[in-house]
């Protein structure tokens, strides 16, 4: 079984370079810990799905919670799955369209088909936040 964590955090003052650095670090470090997932950032909040072995995810969440670039880290869901929703994605950033009307449709196209339906619903709802 694979563990899946879905969390949200607030990071209102990040530059594009900061977000790029987070993604680069995730892309470099996650394969070593056998973690996969996806990340959305709307300019104020992150929502991230991470998946892997429980111990690896717990260690990563401890680092994320201590990272001064985030605050208000809140776990939305912890689930078990028979397979990964994001295999091959060390950390995929899914860009959110600027036009609110286009966000949901674009996100729906980009989310992996094997995603837990409850996680899909939460991620889709995130897309309409400003």
């Amino acid at each position: 079984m694979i563990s899946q964590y879905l969390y949200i955090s607030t990071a209102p003052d990040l530059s594009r370079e900061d977000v790029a650095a987070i993604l680069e670090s995730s892309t470099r470090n996650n394969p070593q810990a056998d973690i996969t997932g996806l990340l959305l950032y709307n300019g104020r909040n992150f929502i991230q799905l991470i998946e892997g072995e429980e111990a690896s995810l717990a260690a990563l969440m401890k680092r994320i919670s201590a990272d001064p670039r985030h605050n208000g880290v809140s776990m939305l869901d912890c689930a078990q799955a028979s397979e990964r929703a994001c295999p091959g994605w060390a950390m995929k950033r899914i860009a959110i369209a600027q036009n609110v009307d286009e966000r949901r449709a674009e996100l729906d196209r980009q989310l992996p088909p094997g995603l837990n339906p409850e996680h899909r619903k939460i991620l889709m709802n995130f897309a309409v936040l400003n």
Side-chain angles (χ1 to χ4, degrees):
M1 290 299 264
I2 297 294
S3 293
Q4 296 176 321
Y5 288 6
L6 183 66
Y7 80 90
I8 193 167
S9 67
T10 301
D13 298 321
L14 292 183
S15 67
R16 286 186 176 166
E17 292 80 15
D18 291 331
V19 175
I22 289 169
L23 288 166
E24 189 275 325
S25 175
S26 297
T27 302
R28 181 184 63 246
N29 296 330
N30 286 354
Q32 297 169 14
D34 196 27
I35 293 174
T36 56
L38 60 88
L39 174 74
L40 283 76
Y41 181 63
N42 66 5
R44 178 171 173 74
N45 302 99
F46 282 107
I47 190 166
Q48 186 172 31
L49 172 71
I50 53 176
E51 51 189 10
E53 296 299 321
E54 181 68 30
S56 296
L57 295 185
L60 178 56
M61 285 306 300
K62 187 173 182 177
R63 288 191 304 277
I64 288 168
S65 294
D67 188 330
R69 298 173 291 190
H70 298 264
N71 61 61
V73 176
S74 297
M75 188 69 69
L76 300 175
D77 192 42
C78 298
Q80 296 291 309
S82 58
E83 58 187 46
R84 293 172 188 262
C86 306
W89 290 358
M91 189 50 55
K92 167 136 174 115
R93 179 177 183 198
I94 298 179
I96 298 176
Q98 293 300 318
N99 182 325
V100 175
D101 294 331
E102 296 172 4
R103 287 181 186 174
R104 290 180 64 90
E106 183 61 28
L107 182 58
D108 192 44
R109 282 191 292 275
Q110 293 189 52
L111 289 175
L115 192 61
N116 171 317
E118 189 60 30
H119 293 168
R120 178 177 288 278
K121 179 180 171 185
I122 293 168
L123 291 163
M124 294 298 292
N125 287 336
F126 179 84
V128 297
L129 297 175
N130 286 329

